[in-house]
Amino acid sequence: MRLEVGSRAPETVATPLMAVLVAADRPFEELDALDRAAGGMLRRAVGAGDFKGREGDRVLGYGGGWEDWAPAPAWTGKGPGRVLFMGVGDSASLTPERMRRAGGGAVRAAEDQRVSELALNLDHLGAAVDAAGVQSAAEGMVLAAWRFRELKSARNGGGGHGPGDAEGVRGERTPPLVESAALVGGGASRWEAPVRIARAFAEGQNLARTLQARPGNVATPSHLAAEAERIAAEAGLECEILGPGELESERMGALLAVARGSREEPRLIVLRHRGGEAGAAPLVLVGKGLTFDAGGISLKPPKGMEKMKYDMSGGAAVLGAMLAIGRLGLPVNVTAVVPSSENLPGGSATKPGDVVRSRAGKTIEVINTDAEGRLILADALHYAAEWRPAAIVDCATLTGACVVALGHHRSALLGSDDGLVEELRAAGDRAGEPCWPLPLDGRYRRQLKSDVADLKNVGGRPAGTITAACFLSEFVGSAPWAHLDIAGTAYGKTRKPYLADGPAGVPCRLLLEWVRARAGP
């Protein structure tokens, strides 16, 4: 989506749809000029008691720049063609998430009206609109405009370009792509910086969603590696790709053990952003890049297995975050590591009961081959820990137990450093990607005790999310480390107007908020 800012009087802006955010606790008379442009619909709705500015209240009017001629009326392009007044509740209680939802709601309204551009007016919110609010509203618009259509034929609105008004196979019209938007209002001169940040954050997350949405026969480990090289070229990052030979040389036996059952070669992707002082310890982001997970020999049930293309969601979020970090040129050193493979039940696949040796030298008894994510992460975390990083944060769709514990509303958060855990929790709140801390101590580590190896890869059903994190903690050394289990939040159904059902890109913006806070003002 093209996103601009402008300080023009909203009633003079030529746009097919002007969405106006209306605060319930401010005088509606401030909107008289726009209301007159919309035929007085707001005044009538307020007088009838149908509009009070509450969140969810809406009134749609049509501007005066229309010509009534056969066979249908036509908008002349003079002023706003439509004006949609959207209630957001009291301005004093506005949060970034509510602004994000309002921005997304404006894009959904444009889709309903079948227009490909819109303007969002924030004037009525007054001083309640700070930089965080502007950033969130802009994020909501860019995130809401995302659609995955690259694998559909043009007849079904595919190709990823154009208004998307083609008819589907049953005759239904696909929603249009909203291609451009503007934020307009008296404070627009101060909005350039937060809108620039919002665009980078949301486009990074939209890249993650696109990678998630691609099926396993497209988004293979080599495909993720090629995307990483493209991101590096675009955003000015350094890129290093390790293939099977390099992985052998690096003694990454756990990662290679997972990949044995597939013909697709594994990759370890490394991206570096050198925005800080030379030699300064980097922040490290590690993302699980399991591009398809059939469970290996411990085969998953067929129902829902197609969703296992999403098992690379952590890696996708990290790649999207690195795109945004590079574009923004954040003044901090950041390194991303994405271990990537498939987990299939081939003839050479690792078997339950096998013992594999990790890069750290620790031996692992594989009790369940479907607990493969922690194996590929183990080698990646140990690799990253050798750089003496300022902090390591990994994210992974790691355990079904996380969904049982927290549902689809919060990611699980565990770590070795209380300060780091709190930083990430606060970043998640700012990003609208909340997480919840779980305990991590030695009593859970006992569940991983093995009779034949240094540890097992699973600790049984009790506290499955915690024991998985305990397993990872064995490979981070002394570095401050935190783990985000996104099994319940990375994809699925949503009621957020700025997200479509399917891939969510979580926790891309959480990571970005954390890195930006670490980088300083």
Side-chain angles (χ1 to χ4, degrees), residues 439-504:
L440 187 68
D441 60 59
R443 288 174 291 183
Y444 296 102
R445 168 63 174 81
R446 297 170 193 158
Q447 293 175 226
L448 299 174
K449 184 178 179 180
S450 168
D451 292 333
V452 298
D454 293 325
L455 70 166
K456 300 185 296 187
N457 74 327
V458 294
R461 290 178 61 86
T465 300
I466 297 172
T467 57
C470 283
F471 181 92
L472 297 180
S473 71
E474 295 282 317
F475 301 93
V476 296
S478 60
W481 160 78
H483 162 65
L484 288 159
D485 193 328
I486 57 172
T489 53
Y491 63 93
K493 292 189 177 296
T494 178
R495 293 185 178 179
K496 295 180 178 180
Y498 58 86
L499 292 178
D501 289 348

Coordinates of all heavy atoms in Angstrom, one line a residue, residues 439-504:
P439 N 6.9 -19.8 34.1 CA 8.1 -20.0 35.0 C 9.1 -20.9 34.2 O 8.8 -21.7 33.3 CB 7.6 -20.7 36.2 CG 6.3 -21.4 35.7 CD 5.7 -20.4 34.7
L440 N 10.4 -20.8 34.6 CA 11.4 -21.6 34.1 C 12.4 -21.9 35.1 O 13.2 -21.0 35.5 CB 12.1 -20.8 32.9 CG 13.1 -21.6 32.0 CD1 12.4 -22.7 31.3 CD2 13.8 -20.7 31.1
D441 N 12.5 -23.1 35.7 CA 13.4 -23.4 36.7 C 13.8 -24.8 36.6 O 13.3 -25.6 35.8 CB 12.9 -23.0 38.1 CG 11.6 -23.8 38.5 OD1 11.7 -25.0 38.5 OD2 10.6 -23.2 38.8
G442 N 14.8 -25.2 37.5 CA 15.4 -26.5 37.4 C 14.5 -27.7 37.6 O 14.8 -28.8 37.2
R443 N 13.4 -27.5 38.4 CA 12.5 -28.6 38.6 C 11.9 -29.1 37.4 O 11.7 -30.4 37.3 CB 11.4 -28.1 39.6 CG 11.9 -27.9 41.0 CD 10.8 -27.2 41.9 NE 10.5 -25.9 41.5 CZ 9.7 -25.1 42.1 NH1 9.0 -25.5 43.1 NH2 9.5 -23.8 41.7
Y444 N 11.7 -28.3 36.4 CA 11.1 -28.8 35.1 C 12.2 -29.5 34.3 O 11.9 -30.4 33.5 CB 10.6 -27.6 34.3 CG 9.4 -27.0 35.0 CD1 9.5 -25.8 35.7 CD2 8.1 -27.6 34.9 CE1 8.4 -25.1 36.3 CE2 7.0 -27.0 35.6 CZ 7.2 -25.8 36.2 OH 6.1 -25.2 36.8
R445 N 13.5 -29.1 34.5 CA 14.6 -29.7 33.7 C 14.7 -31.2 34.0 O 15.1 -32.0 33.1 CB 15.9 -29.0 34.1 CG 17.2 -29.6 33.6 CD 17.3 -29.7 32.1 NE 18.6 -30.2 31.7 CZ 18.9 -31.5 31.6 NH1 18.0 -32.4 32.0 NH2 20.1 -31.9 31.2
R446 N 14.3 -31.6 35.2 CA 14.3 -33.0 35.6 C 13.5 -33.9 34.6 O 13.8 -35.1 34.5 CB 13.9 -33.2 37.0 CG 14.8 -32.5 38.0 CD 14.1 -32.5 39.4 NE 14.8 -31.6 40.3 CZ 14.2 -31.1 41.4 NH1 13.0 -31.5 41.7 NH2 14.9 -30.3 42.2
Q447 N 12.5 -33.4 34.0 CA 11.6 -34.2 33.1 C 12.4 -34.5 31.8 O 11.9 -35.4 31.1 CB 10.4 -33.4 32.8 CG 9.4 -33.2 34.0 CD 8.2 -32.4 33.7 OE1 7.8 -31.5 34.4 NE2 7.6 -32.6 32.5
L448 N 13.5 -33.9 31.6 CA 14.3 -34.2 30.3 C 15.4 -35.2 30.6 O 16.2 -35.4 29.7 CB 14.8 -32.8 29.8 CG 13.8 -31.8 29.4 CD1 14.6 -30.5 29.0 CD2 12.9 -32.3 28.3
K449 N 15.5 -35.7 31.8 CA 16.6 -36.6 32.1 C 16.4 -37.9 31.2 O 15.4 -38.5 31.1 CB 16.5 -37.0 33.6 CG 17.7 -37.9 34.0 CD 17.6 -38.2 35.5 CE 18.8 -39.1 35.9 NZ 18.8 -39.4 37.4
S450 N 17.6 -38.3 30.6 CA 17.6 -39.5 29.8 C 18.5 -40.6 30.4 O 19.5 -40.3 31.0 CB 18.1 -39.2 28.4 OG 18.4 -40.3 27.6
D451 N 18.1 -41.8 30.2 CA 19.0 -42.9 30.7 C 20.2 -43.2 29.8 O 21.1 -43.8 30.2 CB 18.1 -44.2 30.8 CG 17.1 -44.1 31.9 OD1 17.3 -43.4 32.8 OD2 16.0 -44.8 31.7
V452 N 20.1 -42.8 28.5 CA 21.1 -43.1 27.5 C 21.9 -41.9 26.9 O 22.9 -42.1 26.2 CB 20.6 -44.0 26.4 CG1 20.0 -45.3 27.0 CG2 19.5 -43.2 25.6
A453 N 21.4 -40.7 27.2 CA 22.0 -39.5 26.6 C 22.0 -38.4 27.6 O 21.5 -38.5 28.7 CB 21.2 -39.1 25.3
D454 N 22.5 -37.2 27.2 CA 22.6 -36.1 28.1 C 21.2 -35.6 28.4 O 20.9 -35.1 29.5 CB 23.4 -35.0 27.5 CG 24.9 -35.4 27.4 OD1 25.4 -36.1 28.3 OD2 25.5 -35.0 26.4
L455 N 20.3 -35.7 27.5 CA 18.9 -35.2 27.8 C 18.0 -35.8 26.7 O 18.5 -36.2 25.6 CB 18.8 -33.7 27.8 CG 18.9 -32.9 26.6 CD1 18.4 -31.4 26.8 CD2 20.4 -32.8 26.1
K456 N 16.7 -35.8 27.0 CA 15.7 -36.2 26.0 C 15.1 -35.0 25.3 O 15.2 -33.9 25.8 CB 14.5 -36.9 26.7 CG 14.9 -38.2 27.4 CD 13.7 -38.9 28.0 CE 13.0 -38.1 29.1 NZ 11.9 -38.9 29.7
N457 N 14.5 -35.2 24.1 CA 13.9 -34.0 23.4 C 12.5 -33.7 23.9 O 12.0 -32.7 23.5 CB 14.0 -34.2 21.9 CG 13.0 -35.2 21.4 OD1 12.7 -36.2 22.0 ND2 12.5 -34.9 20.1
V458 N 11.9 -34.5 24.7 CA 10.6 -34.2 25.3 C 10.6 -34.6 26.7 O 11.3 -35.5 27.2 CB 9.4 -34.9 24.5 CG1 9.3 -34.4 23.1 CG2 9.6 -36.4 24.5
G459 N 9.7 -34.0 27.5 CA 9.6 -34.2 28.9 C 8.3 -34.7 29.4 O 7.9 -34.6 30.6
G460 N 7.5 -35.3 28.4 CA 6.1 -35.7 28.8 C 5.1 -34.6 28.6 O 5.4 -33.5 28.3
R461 N 3.9 -35.0 28.9 CA 2.8 -34.0 28.7 C 2.7 -32.9 29.7 O 2.4 -31.7 29.4 CB 1.4 -34.8 28.8 CG 1.2 -35.7 27.6 CD -0.1 -36.4 27.7 NE -1.3 -35.5 27.8 CZ -1.9 -35.0 26.7 NH1 -1.5 -35.3 25.5 NH2 -2.9 -34.2 26.9
P462 N 3.1 -33.1 31.0 CA 3.0 -32.0 32.0 C 3.9 -30.8 31.6 O 5.1 -31.1 31.3 CB 3.4 -32.6 33.3 CG 3.1 -34.1 33.1 CD 3.5 -34.3 31.7
A463 N 3.4 -29.6 31.6 CA 4.2 -28.4 31.4 C 5.0 -28.5 30.1 O 6.2 -28.1 30.1 CB 5.1 -28.1 32.6
G464 N 4.4 -28.9 29.0 CA 5.1 -29.1 27.8 C 5.8 -27.9 27.2 O 6.9 -28.0 26.7
T465 N 5.1 -26.7 27.4 CA 5.8 -25.5 26.9 C 7.0 -25.2 27.7 O 8.0 -24.7 27.2 CB 4.7 -24.4 26.9 OG1 3.6 -24.7 26.1 CG2 5.4 -23.0 26.5
I466 N 6.9 -25.4 29.0 CA 8.0 -25.0 29.9 C 9.2 -26.0 29.7 O 10.4 -25.6 29.6 CB 7.6 -25.1 31.4 CG1 6.5 -24.0 31.6 CG2 8.8 -24.8 32.3 CD1 5.9 -24.0 32.9
T467 N 8.9 -27.3 29.6 CA 10.0 -28.2 29.4 C 10.7 -28.0 28.0 O 11.9 -28.3 27.9 CB 9.6 -29.7 29.5 OG1 8.5 -30.0 28.6 CG2 9.1 -30.0 30.9
A468 N 9.9 -27.6 27.0 CA 10.6 -27.3 25.7 C 11.5 -26.1 25.8 O 12.6 -26.1 25.3 CB 9.5 -27.0 24.7
A469 N 11.1 -25.1 26.6 CA 12.0 -24.0 26.8 C 13.2 -24.4 27.7 O 14.3 -23.9 27.4 CB 11.2 -22.8 27.5
C470 N 13.0 -25.3 28.6 CA 14.1 -25.8 29.4 C 15.2 -26.5 28.5 O 16.4 -26.3 28.7 CB 13.6 -26.8 30.4 SG 12.9 -26.1 31.9
F471 N 14.7 -27.2 27.5 CA 15.5 -27.9 26.5 C 16.4 -26.8 25.8 O 17.6 -26.9 25.7 CB 14.7 -28.7 25.5 CG 15.5 -29.4 24.5 CD1 15.9 -30.7 24.7 CD2 15.9 -28.8 23.3 CE1 16.7 -31.4 23.8 CE2 16.6 -29.4 22.4 CZ 17.0 -30.7 22.6
L472 N 15.7 -25.7 25.3 CA 16.4 -24.7 24.6 C 17.5 -24.0 25.5 O 18.6 -23.6 25.0 CB 15.5 -23.7 24.0 CG 14.4 -24.2 23.0 CD1 13.5 -23.0 22.6 CD2 15.1 -24.8 21.8
S473 N 17.1 -23.9 26.7 CA 18.0 -23.1 27.7 C 19.4 -23.8 27.8 O 20.4 -23.2 28.2 CB 17.4 -23.0 29.0 OG 17.3 -24.2 29.7
E474 N 19.5 -25.1 27.5 CA 20.7 -25.9 27.5 C 21.7 -25.4 26.5 O 22.9 -25.8 26.6 CB 20.4 -27.4 27.3 CG 19.6 -28.0 28.4 CD 20.4 -28.3 29.7 OE1 21.5 -28.8 29.5 OE2 19.9 -28.0 30.8
F475 N 21.3 -24.6 25.5 CA 22.2 -24.3 24.4 C 22.5 -22.8 24.2 O 23.1 -22.5 23.2 CB 21.5 -24.9 23.1 CG 21.3 -26.3 23.2 CD1 20.1 -26.8 23.6 CD2 22.3 -27.3 22.9 CE1 19.8 -28.2 23.7 CE2 22.0 -28.6 22.9 CZ 20.8 -29.1 23.4
V476 N 22.1 -22.0 25.2 CA 22.4 -20.6 25.0 C 23.5 -20.0 25.9 O 23.9 -18.9 25.8 CB 21.1 -19.8 25.4 CG1 20.0 -20.1 24.5 CG2 20.7 -20.0 26.9
G477 N 24.2 -20.9 26.6 CA 25.3 -20.5 27.4 C 24.9 -19.4 28.4 O 23.8 -19.5 29.1
S478 N 25.7 -18.4 28.6 CA 25.5 -17.4 29.6 C 24.8 -16.2 29.0 O 24.6 -15.2 29.8 CB 26.8 -17.0 30.3 OG 27.7 -16.4 29.3
A479 N 24.4 -16.2 27.8 CA 23.8 -15.0 27.2 C 22.4 -14.8 27.7 O 21.7 -15.7 28.0 CB 23.7 -15.2 25.6
P480 N 22.0 -13.5 27.9 CA 20.6 -13.2 28.3 C 19.7 -13.7 27.2 O 20.0 -13.4 26.0 CB 20.6 -11.7 28.4 CG 22.0 -11.3 28.6 CD 22.8 -12.3 27.9
W481 N 18.7 -14.5 27.5 CA 18.0 -15.2 26.5 C 16.5 -15.3 26.8 O 16.1 -15.4 28.0 CB 18.5 -16.7 26.3 CG 17.6 -17.6 25.7 CD1 17.3 -17.8 24.4 CD2 16.7 -18.6 26.3 NE1 16.4 -18.8 24.2 CE2 16.0 -19.3 25.4 CE3 16.6 -18.9 27.7 CZ2 15.1 -20.3 25.7 CZ3 15.7 -20.0 28.0 CH2 15.0 -20.6 27.0
A482 N 15.6 -15.2 25.8 CA 14.2 -15.3 26.0 C 13.6 -16.1 24.8 O 14.1 -16.0 23.7 CB 13.5 -14.0 26.2
H483 N 12.6 -16.8 25.1 CA 11.9 -17.6 24.1 C 10.4 -17.3 24.0 O 9.7 -17.2 25.0 CB 12.1 -19.1 24.5 CG 11.1 -20.1 23.9 ND1 11.2 -20.3 22.5 CD2 10.1 -20.8 24.4 CE1 10.2 -21.2 22.3 NE2 9.6 -21.6 23.4
L484 N 10.0 -17.1 22.8 CA 8.5 -16.9 22.5 C 8.0 -18.1 21.8 O 8.4 -18.4 20.7 CB 8.4 -15.6 21.6 CG 8.7 -14.3 22.3 CD1 9.0 -13.2 21.3 CD2 7.5 -13.9 23.2
D485 N 7.0 -18.7 22.5 CA 6.3 -19.8 21.8 C 5.0 -19.3 21.2 O 4.1 -18.8 21.9 CB 5.9 -20.9 22.9 CG 5.4 -22.2 22.2 OD1 4.8 -22.1 21.1 OD2 5.7 -23.3 22.8
I486 N 5.0 -19.3 19.9 CA 3.9 -18.6 19.1 C 2.9 -19.6 18.5 O 2.2 -19.3 17.5 CB 4.5 -17.7 18.0 CG1 5.4 -18.4 17.1 CG2 5.2 -16.5 18.7 CD1 5.9 -17.6 15.9
A487 N 2.9 -20.8 19.0 CA 2.1 -21.9 18.4 C 0.6 -21.5 18.3 O -0.1 -21.9 17.4 CB 2.2 -23.2 19.2
G488 N 0.1 -20.7 19.3 CA -1.3 -20.3 19.3 C -1.6 -19.0 18.6 O -2.8 -18.6 18.5
T489 N -0.6 -18.2 18.2 CA -0.8 -16.8 17.8 C -0.2 -16.6 16.4 O -0.6 -15.5 15.8 CB -0.1 -15.8 18.7 OG1 1.3 -16.2 18.9 CG2 -0.8 -15.8 20.1
A490 N 0.6 -17.5 15.8 CA 1.2 -17.2 14.5 C 0.2 -17.3 13.4 O 0.5 -16.6 12.3 CB 2.3 -18.2 14.3
Y491 N -0.8 -18.0 13.5 CA -1.8 -18.1 12.4 C -3.1 -18.6 13.0 O -3.2 -19.0 14.1 CB -1.3 -19.1 11.4 CG -1.2 -20.5 11.9 CD1 -2.2 -21.5 11.8 CD2 0.0 -21.0 12.5 CE1 -2.1 -22.8 12.3 CE2 0.1 -22.3 13.0 CZ -0.9 -23.2 12.9 OH -0.8 -24.4 13.4
G492 N -4.2 -18.5 12.1 CA -5.5 -18.9 12.6 C -6.6 -17.8 12.3 O -6.4 -16.9 11.5
K493 N -7.7 -18.0 12.9 CA -8.8 -17.0 12.7 C -8.6 -15.8 13.6 O -8.0 -15.9 14.7 CB -10.1 -17.7 13.1 CG -10.6 -18.8 12.1 CD -12.0 -19.2 12.3 CE -12.4 -20.3 11.2 NZ -12.4 -19.7 9.9
T494 N -9.1 -14.7 13.2 CA -8.9 -13.5 14.0 C -10.1 -12.6 13.9 O -10.9 -12.7 13.0 CB -7.7 -12.7 13.5 OG1 -7.5 -11.5 14.2 CG2 -7.8 -12.3 12.0
R495 N -10.3 -11.8 15.0 CA -11.4 -10.8 15.0 C -10.8 -9.4 14.9 O -11.5 -8.4 15.0 CB -12.2 -10.9 16.2 CG -13.0 -12.2 16.3 CD -13.9 -12.2 17.5 NE -14.7 -13.4 17.6 CZ -15.6 -13.7 18.5 NH1 -15.8 -12.9 19.5 NH2 -16.3 -14.8 18.5
K496 N -9.5 -9.3 14.6 CA -8.9 -8.0 14.5 C -9.1 -7.5 13.1 O -8.8 -8.2 12.1 CB -7.4 -8.1 14.8 CG -7.0 -8.5 16.2 CD -5.5 -8.6 16.4 CE -5.2 -9.0 17.9 NZ -3.7 -9.1 18.1
P497 N -9.6 -6.3 12.9 CA -10.0 -5.8 11.6 C -8.7 -5.5 10.7 O -8.9 -5.4 9.5 CB -10.7 -4.5 11.9 CG -10.4 -4.1 13.2 CD -10.1 -5.3 14.0
Y498 N -7.6 -5.4 11.3 CA -6.4 -5.2 10.5 C -5.7 -6.5 10.1 O -4.6 -6.5 9.4 CB -5.4 -4.3 11.2 CG -4.9 -4.7 12.6 CD1 -3.8 -5.6 12.7 CD2 -5.5 -4.3 13.7 CE1 -3.4 -6.0 14.0 CE2 -5.1 -4.7 15.0 CZ -4.0 -5.5 15.1 OH -3.5 -5.9 16.3
L499 N -6.2 -7.7 10.5 CA -5.6 -8.9 10.1 C -6.7 -9.8 9.4 O -7.8 -9.8 9.9 CB -5.1 -9.7 11.3 CG -3.8 -9.1 12.0 CD1 -3.4 -10.0 13.2 CD2 -2.6 -9.0 11.0
A500 N -6.3 -10.5 8.4 CA -7.2 -11.5 7.7 C -6.9 -12.8 8.4 O -5.9 -13.0 9.0 CB -6.9 -11.5 6.2
D501 N -7.9 -13.7 8.3 CA -7.7 -15.1 8.8 C -6.5 -15.7 8.1 O -6.3 -15.5 6.9 CB -8.9 -15.9 8.6 CG -10.1 -15.5 9.5 OD1 -9.9 -14.8 10.4 OD2 -11.2 -16.0 9.2
G502 N -5.7 -16.5 8.8 CA -4.6 -17.2 8.2 C -3.3 -16.7 8.9 O -3.2 -16.6 10.1
P503 N -2.3 -16.4 8.1 CA -1.0 -16.0 8.7 C -1.0 -14.7 9.3 O -1.5 -13.7 8.7 CB 0.0 -16.1 7.5 CG -0.9 -15.8 6.3 CD -2.2 -16.5 6.6
A504 N -0.5 -14.5 10.5 CA -0.6 -13.3 11.3 C 0.7 -12.5 11.3 O 0.8 -11.3 11.6 CB -1.1 -13.5 12.7

